[in-house]
Amino acid sequence: MKAILLAGGKGTRLRPLTIHTPKPIVPIFDRPFLHYQLDLLKQVPEIDEVILSLNYQPRRIEEIYGDGGDSGLAIRYVVEPVPLGTAGAVRYAGESLRESVVVFNGDVLTQIDLAAVIALHRERRAKATIVLTPVENPAAYGLVETDARGNIQRFLEKPRADEITSNNINAGIYVLEPETFDRIPKDTPWSIERGFFPSLIERQETFVAYVYGGYWIDIGTPEKYIQVHRDIMDARYNVAPFAAAPSTACVSPRARVEEGAVLRGPCFIDEGTVIKAGARVGPYSVIGRQCHVEEDAVVEDAIVWATSRISQEAVVQQAILGRHCHIGRNAIVNHGAVLGDKSVVTDYSRV
Ligand code: GDD
Ligand code: MG
């Protein structure tokens, strides 16, 4: 069985972080986001190949994963000539498929039991099965209504406030039958949410919901990107290194924390990073590889990508810093600031 991972979006809501780093490989702690999704797919032994459907900066992603190598899954890359939308991308990537295929949005993190979703799809002999998950406000998602047997009655992408009739939304995880792909126009942009799913309902195909109430998040905005890190640090989503030691200060053995530096968990400090005497790294901070946090600097509730420098007495709070940023002495970066790669904040500046 194959899986198609839709990973071709531009990640506009995560800009400037996604200018040089496509969304599927933004780091979550010390690993690219895709790594967590591939781990989930690996749990289904039947899935032997993952097709990465790419468009935006595909080479950056190929460089990291190659042919799958030691990831334990064969990986194939399909790059659209132009962005074909979520349905166009599935058709383009799934052209040669003859058996049921798992499709995954490339920006969702979850602990769903995929094998159970596939089993339901087979049991119901469905043409399509989609995973639904309850959220407080469905406005940013695809709203889905079902009947008592879990048949999908309505699919409404990005509903207006007065159209919200249910809390269940499309979780971006599907099992599809390729025989339905001929309904997707070839080589033109087409949306799975606005075109393909409504067409299944219109034709009264067997279109089934699997409702999942466990951990699920779409990392597509800075707020959600920060939330994922918090959830992992608090073990709401269980992965290494916090699954075994939630809410602790997790420091790479190859980082250097000088005497007199203060670490308050939960936090994460990656290899090669130096935390100088008098610096404070507070709760919910993530500091990537080879960073420098200098004397008396403060980092709290912030995510700092690799090779950045936070100079003496600078304060970084509730912020995200891209790669190779330089925060000058006594500068303050806070209140939701998101700085792109190589940003320079001069001494005493406030962002
Ligand atoms: N290959 C390819 N080509 N991939 C694409 C394209 C394209 O033209 N456009 C989007 N994608 C990928 C994105 O990279 C992302 O992984 C996925 O398709 C979904 O696109 P988003 O831009 O993240 O959509 P969304 O978050 O607004 O809404 C979607 O996800 C929600 C759940 O997170 C919809 O599927 C909603 O119905 C759903 O609720
Ligand atoms: Mg999304």
Side-chain angles (χ1 to χ4, degrees):
M1 190 177 200
K2 316 270 183 251
I4 298 175
L5 254 166
L6 293 174
K10 286 202 171 75
T12 47
R13 288 163 293 185
L14 268 182
R15 281 180 189 156
L17 300 171
T18 44
I19 301 282
H20 301 291
T21 308
K23 183 162 67 169
I25 54 167
V26 298
I28 306 288
F29 296 99
D30 52 349
R31 289 181 293 189
F33 179 71
L34 256 182
H35 190 96
Y36 298 82
Q37 288 197 321
L38 294 175
D39 268 358
L40 185 79
L41 293 170
K42 262 190 256 172
Q43 288 170 15
V44 185
E46 222 183 312
I47 297 179
D48 53 7
E49 187 182 55
V50 178
I51 304 170
L52 285 181
S53 162
L54 305 179
N55 190 266
Y56 179 66
Q57 299 187 356
R59 302 281 163 266
R60 299 288 319 279
I61 299 175
E62 287 192 50
E63 272 165 21
I64 294 183
Y65 287 100
D67 61 0
D70 50 9
S71 79
L73 270 175
I75 296 182
R76 184 148 61 89
Y77 303 86
V78 175
V79 181
E80 300 146 32
V82 289
L84 290 174
T86 43
V90 168
R91 168 143 203 191
Y92 192 77
E95 203 58 79
S96 61
L97 302 182
R98 297 289 167 265
E99 50 166 18
S100 322
V101 57
V102 171
V103 176
F104 233 88
N105 279 356
D107 59 355
V108 300
L109 189 69
T110 174
Q111 276 176 327
I112 195 166
D113 178 355
L114 265 184
V117 183
I118 298 165
L120 174 74
H121 179 81
R122 290 188 176 139
E123 191 188 302
R124 294 286 315 269
R125 296 177 189 278
K127 287 284 192 290
T129 299
I130 73 177
V131 175
L132 308 186
T133 193
V135 296
E136 243 165 59
N137 181 8
Y141 304 100
L143 177 128
V144 183
E145 287 174 19
T146 60
D147 68 11
R149 288 197 60 224
N151 296 304
I152 291 169
Q153 306 287 15
R154 188 161 181 235
F155 192 112
L156 187 60
E157 185 65 15
K158 312 280 188 290
R160 291 192 317 260
D162 62 342
E163 292 175 318
I164 294 174
T165 50
S166 148
N167 280 351
N168 278 338
I169 59 124
N170 167 27
I173 301 164
Y174 324 122
V175 186
L176 305 177
E177 290 306 309
E179 64 184 71
T180 58
F181 293 174
D182 59 4
R183 319 229 176 112
I184 301 168
K186 240 182 160 178
D187 304 329
T188 34
W190 199 255
S191 156
I192 206 164
E193 298 87 354
R194 296 175 199 272
F196 180 74
F197 290 147
S199 86
L200 293 180
I201 299 167
E202 242 166 61
R203 292 171 189 232
Q204 300 186 311
E205 306 274 22
T206 312
F207 183 19
V208 172
Y210 179 102
V211 181
Y212 173 68
Y215 188 82
W216 179 90
I217 197 168
D218 169 335
I219 63 145
T221 62
E223 296 71 30
K224 292 290 172 66
Y225 178 67
I226 289 174
Q227 188 63 44
V228 166
H229 287 87
R230 286 181 160 257
D231 291 342
I232 293 175
M233 288 191 254
D234 287 339
R236 277 189 289 276
Y237 178 80
N238 286 304
V239 280
F242 289 93
S247 303
T248 53
C250 177
V251 181
S252 160
R254 279 180 281 181
R256 198 174 86 231
V257 179
E258 287 188 358
E259 211 172 298
V262 179
L263 304 185
R264 281 173 52 222
C267 64
F268 180 85
I269 295 169
D270 206 349
E271 62 181 52
T273 285
V274 180
I275 314 286
K276 297 284 232 177
R280 284 188 287 136
V281 176
Y284 299 106
S285 294
V286 177
I287 303 186
R289 270 180 306 106
Q290 283 157 349
C291 289
H292 282 81
V293 180
E294 296 185 340
E295 288 84 355
D296 302 315
V298 175
V299 182
E300 269 172 0
D301 196 8
I303 298 177
V304 179
W305 287 7
T307 65
S308 290
R309 179 178 294 269
I310 297 161
S311 309
Q312 292 174 26
E313 293 182 43
V315 175
V316 177
Q317 275 166 336
Q318 290 168 18
I320 307 175
L321 309 187
R323 229 171 309 210
H324 214 66
C325 288
H326 181 103
I327 310 301
R329 285 177 172 217
N330 296 80
I332 299 179
V333 179
N334 61 7
H335 290 309
V338 183
L339 305 189
D341 292 359
K342 299 187 184 165
S343 292
V344 176
V345 176
T346 50
D347 295 354
Y348 293 93
S349 292
R350 290 158 180 260
V351 178

